[in-house]
């Protein structure tokens, strides 16, 4: 995918900025990086972006899913289209840091939500569904013994995300969302973005490090020498361990 990788080069001034300038410049640089996210290309905005503990289970054809799965941290990104008080649709994206090619998506508009509402006897309306979904995701993070997120993967590229509450005496299914594996071109875009984002952030931090070195060299040269010696010792120790 080398032809997809477009490097973002942050601007770097030779002058040494103060602490306030660091904060402002870093925010601007990182915001520029985040705006490259292909998930935002069609007007969506991010409502939620966190890693959530998921239990991943596999299901072969029409058989029941495996009773025991693997626990993994899955990055959940919830995006919405429309204003905050008038959401037109939601998109939920699932990705993984351990598998760059893992990317599933669920799109829910008002008509799709009505179908979920009828099938699962949901008591909420679509305008309040997003906030309820975010609360459930956060509870899976904060109360993993009581609230579980189970992702059942099938061999045909589909998946089902089940939110389950452990009531001690039984498991209660709270919500089920259908997912589908993203097309190859979307996966390529996401990999490209994550690659470029990481390189750009490293470039920004390298630029900041150079500014800090210049500032410390002016204010306290002996401290800079000590920092550089400690950094070299740490690097040597890590190299010996590896």
């Amino acid at each position: 995918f080398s032809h997809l990788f477009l490097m973002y080069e942050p601007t770097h001034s030779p002058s040494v900025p103060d602490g306030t300038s660091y904060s402002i410049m870093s925010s601007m640089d990182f915001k520029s990086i985040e705006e490259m996210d292909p998930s935002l290309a069609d007007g969506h905005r991010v409502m939620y972006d966190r890693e959530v503990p998921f239990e991943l289970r596999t299901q072969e054809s029409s058989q029941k899913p495996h009773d025991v799965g693997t626990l993994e941290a899955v990055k959940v990104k919830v995006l919405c289209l429309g204003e905050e008080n008038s959401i037109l649709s939601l998109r939920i994206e699932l990705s993984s840091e351990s598998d760059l090619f893992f990317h599933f998506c669920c799109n829910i508009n008002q008509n799709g939500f009505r179908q979920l509402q009828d099938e699962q006897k949901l008591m909420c309306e679509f305008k309040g569904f997003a906030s309820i979904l975010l609360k459930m995701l956060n509870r899976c993070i904060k109360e993993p013994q009581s609230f579980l997120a189970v992702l059942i993967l099938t061999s045909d590229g589909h998946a089902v995300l089940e939110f389950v509450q452990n009531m001690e005496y039984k498991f209660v299914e709270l919500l089920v969302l259908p997912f589908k594996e993203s097309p190859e071109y979307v996966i390529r875009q996401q990999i490209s973005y994550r690659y470029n984002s990481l390189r750009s952030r490293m470039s920004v931090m390298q630029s900041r490090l150079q500014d800090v070195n210049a500032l410390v060299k002016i204010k306290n040269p002996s401290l800079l020498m000590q920092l550089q010696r400690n950094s070299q010792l740490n690097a040597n120790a890590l190299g010996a361990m590896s």
Side-chain angles (χ1 to χ4, degrees):
F1 308 139
S2 59
H3 62 288
L4 294 174
F5 299 150
L6 302 176
M7 181 63 179
Y8 161 75
E9 293 291 349
T11 57
H12 174 59
S13 171
S15 60
V16 180
D18 57 20
T20 303
S21 298
Y22 277 129
S23 178
I24 294 174
M25 291 171 63
S26 295
S27 298
M28 292 176 62
D29 285 334
F30 289 139
K31 184 177 180 181
S32 298
I33 296 170
E34 291 167 357
E35 288 174 350
M36 298 190 303
D37 188 348
S39 299
L40 309 178
D42 54 0
H44 281 78
R45 59 185 178 84
V46 177
M47 300 181 66
Y48 188 90
D49 190 358
R50 296 187 67 182
E51 282 194 338
V52 181
F54 275 30
E55 182 180 335
L56 302 186
R57 299 182 185 179
T58 58
Q59 180 178 359
E60 301 295 336
S61 63
S62 60
Q63 297 178 358
K64 290 184 178 180
H66 296 163
D67 292 332
V68 180
T70 58
L71 189 63
E72 292 192 25
V74 173
K75 187 174 183 181
V76 181
K77 185 183 291 184
V78 181
L79 306 104
C80 70
L81 189 63
E83 299 299 325
E84 185 173 353
N85 297 324
S86 181
I87 295 176
L88 301 176
S89 66
L90 289 173
R91 184 166 75 230
I92 307 152
E93 296 180 355
L94 307 178
S95 59
S96 172
E97 290 299 324
S98 61
D99 183 358
L100 291 177
F101 294 89
F102 179 95
H103 198 274
F104 285 78
C105 187
C106 171
N107 290 287
I108 305 174
N109 57 20
Q110 295 190 32
N111 292 332
F113 176 76
R114 276 194 287 270
Q115 183 177 349
L116 289 177
Q117 193 177 40
D118 293 339
E119 293 173 350
Q120 302 181 38
K121 311 300 181 185
L122 302 179
M123 303 297 292
C124 65
E125 297 298 327
F126 182 65
K127 63 180 180 180
F129 177 65
S131 61
I132 291 174
L133 176 61
L134 303 193
K135 288 179 183 177
M136 293 177 67
L137 290 166
N138 285 331
R139 297 193 77 170
C140 290
I141 297 173
K142 297 176 182 177
E143 306 171 59
Q145 301 302 321
S146 300
F147 290 87
L148 314 172
V150 181
L151 185 66
I152 301 173
L153 305 165
T154 61
S155 56
D156 61 356
H158 290 78
V160 172
L161 176 59
E162 298 180 352
F163 290 95
V164 180
Q165 183 176 4
N166 183 359
M167 303 291 291
E168 294 185 359
Y169 57 91
K170 68 179 297 186
F171 289 98
V172 178
E173 189 176 85
L174 303 177
L175 176 67
V176 179
L177 296 176
F179 280 80
K180 187 175 182 180
E181 188 175 17
S182 299
E184 183 180 352
Y185 77 91
V186 172
I187 295 176
R188 288 163 63 95
Q189 287 177 344
Q190 292 293 334
I191 293 175
S192 175
Y193 166 67
R194 291 162 73 178
Y195 175 86
N196 286 321
S197 176
L198 181 59
R199 287 191 61 184
S200 298
R201 288 174 186 273
M202 289 177 61
S203 180
V204 169
M205 296 310 297
Q206 183 64 35
S207 175
R208 297 292 173 268
L209 180 60
Q210 292 174 0
D211 287 340
V212 170
N213 284 342
L215 181 61
V216 175
K217 185 176 182 179
I218 294 172
K219 299 291 186 179
N220 195 330
S222 61
L223 175 59
L224 177 62
M225 293 180 62
Q226 181 181 349
L227 291 173
Q228 291 175 337
R229 280 198 301 269
N230 290 340
S231 176
Q232 186 61 46
L233 289 174
N234 291 335
N236 292 340
L238 290 174
M241 291 175 62
S242 60

